[in-house]
Amino acid sequence: MNLENISIRGQLLYDEPMSRHTSLKVGGAADLYAEPEDADDLLTLVRSLKERQAPWLTIGRGYNLLVRDGGIRGAVISLARFNRISEAGERLIRAEAGVENLALVRFAQERGLGGIGYISGIPGTVGGAVKMNAGAYGSGVLERLESLTLLLGDTVAEYRREELDYGYRRLTLPVGAIVLAALFRLVEYDPQQTEEEIRKDTELRRSKHNVGFPSAGSFFKNPSGQAAWRLIDRANLRGVTVGGAQVSKVHSNFLINRGGATAADFLGLATRVKEAVFAATGVQLEEEVRIVGEEP
């Protein structure tokens, strides 16, 4: 696979350790790590990769990502530079995939709009939030989605929400599709109420989610009608370790990097958690984090 002589206006790094680009701080090297500047730059990059028959994977800021220790063959495309937000009509806000969740909530707040304050405390970007239908307190961000702009092949296309296949903590997109931007239809909202929601959510997450070590947030999805952390506690797994990975003593649905952890440690710990929870409760947990890459 020849990845030489690729040229974009953004950044290109070869043999780049993914531990530098994920919140878990683990993961082997990607053959090529790229941060295109905008949609045109991204299209140039994708065309170059297609010419070389090289696979690629898109990421945001790596908050919900576990990369195996063998790294990633082909290219990793980061949309970190896709960070523009704009008004797009009455109660409509367009946010590119790399916009931080809190930045979107603040932008709406300044214009007297809201309805998505619950994502303010979720680490990550709009692209990641959309792809996993992120949410809290029974709501998901796709409930406020008007349309989604995707790069599919060589075409930039817009899909209305009703055309998408989504559900609890998931959005199923065509193979190879890259989320470029999302258009949200929000509601008129008192900015002070938004401020209060942000404050309460921040305090709640600090008290319950301040685990003190690198993590990916909630590692497992909540089964229907149940909380994953309660199931993990029922299996007496709080504080259990595999290598440098540990079930957090603060919040048992957070798997943390105590220092020197590998992806294999996290995968081994996740398997141990799932097996113990199933044995104790009969419930099969499913990872919320995205697991990619190759074994060493």
Side-chain angles (χ1 to χ4, degrees):
M1 186 190 311
N2 179 15
L3 294 176
E4 297 178 0
N5 301 318
I6 292 177
S7 178
I8 62 172
R9 287 179 285 112
Q11 183 180 47
L12 290 176
L13 299 170
Y14 289 88
D15 295 321
E16 176 68 2
M18 290 305 296
S19 57
R20 298 178 181 174
H21 304 283
T22 62
S23 62
L24 282 170
K25 306 303 180 187
V26 300
D31 292 337
L32 175 67
Y33 175 86
E35 286 188 6
E37 198 67 42
D38 51 31
D40 290 338
D41 210 22
L42 172 62
L43 188 53
T44 297
L45 173 62
V46 168
R47 285 171 175 165
S48 295
L49 294 173
K50 283 184 176 180
E51 289 172 2
R52 293 161 171 78
Q53 297 183 329
W56 68 83
L57 169 75
T58 58
I59 67 170
R61 302 292 175 95
Y63 288 111
N64 199 46
L65 189 67
L66 174 59
V67 179
R68 295 184 178 93
D69 296 314
I72 297 174
R73 305 289 70 77
V76 170
I77 303 173
S78 168
L79 301 181
R81 301 189 185 207
F82 284 60
N83 56 8
R84 291 161 280 264
I85 318 176
S86 60
E87 294 183 79
E90 186 178 359
R91 294 185 288 118
L92 291 172
I93 291 179
R94 184 179 189 271
E96 291 185 337
V99 170
E100 295 279 352
N101 293 331
L102 178 58
L104 171 60
V105 174
R106 288 294 192 194
F107 187 89
Q109 179 190 25
E110 291 168 1
R111 288 150 183 81
L113 299 174
I116 54 172
Y118 50 81
I119 70 168
S120 63
I122 299 176
T125 59
V126 168
V130 165
K131 289 181 73 172
M132 65 173 289
N133 194 14
Y137 320 122
S139 297
V141 71
L142 292 182
E143 294 170 14
R144 294 293 179 185
L145 185 75
E146 182 80 1
S147 64
L148 201 58
T149 304
L150 303 177
L151 176 64
L152 191 55
D154 287 340
T155 304
V156 175
E158 194 163 318
Y159 292 79
R160 296 184 63 80
R161 183 182 63 178
E162 51 267 28
E163 299 177 276
L164 301 172
D165 176 16
Y166 68 94
Y168 174 71
R169 300 295 177 265
R170 71 166 185 88
L171 169 64
T172 303
L173 295 174
V175 176
I178 299 176
V179 175
L180 301 183
L183 182 66
F184 296 99
R185 182 175 292 279
L186 304 181
V187 295
E188 293 183 2
Y189 220 72
D190 182 354
Q192 190 56 44
Q193 185 175 349
T194 298
E195 190 65 32
E196 184 65 14
E197 289 176 353
I198 294 173
R199 185 190 65 78
K200 286 183 177 179
D201 192 59
T202 300
E203 288 180 356
L204 178 66
R205 291 180 183 277
R206 279 177 180 168
S207 63
K208 293 187 175 182
H209 298 175
N210 187 17
V211 295
F213 295 92
S215 79
S218 294
F219 200 92
F220 299 99
K221 296 179 181 179
N222 288 326
S224 179
Q226 302 185 74
W229 70 267
R230 286 196 178 95
L231 297 171
I232 295 169
D233 276 357
R234 284 177 60 185
N236 296 315
L237 292 167
R238 194 174 288 240
V240 167
T241 63
V242 171
Q246 181 183 54
V247 177
S248 171
K249 296 179 181 179
V250 176
H251 191 305
S252 54
N253 195 19
F254 280 45
L255 304 190
I256 59 175
N257 185 344
R258 293 277 304 183
T262 64
D265 291 342
F266 278 103
L267 293 169
L269 183 57
T271 297
R272 182 171 175 181
V273 168
K274 290 194 292 184
E275 290 176 349
V277 166
F278 186 76
T281 68
V283 177
Q284 184 67 58
L285 290 179
E286 179 183 352
E287 287 87 351
E288 186 168 306
V289 299
R290 183 167 54 145
I291 301 172
V292 300
E294 300 184 359
E295 297 293 344

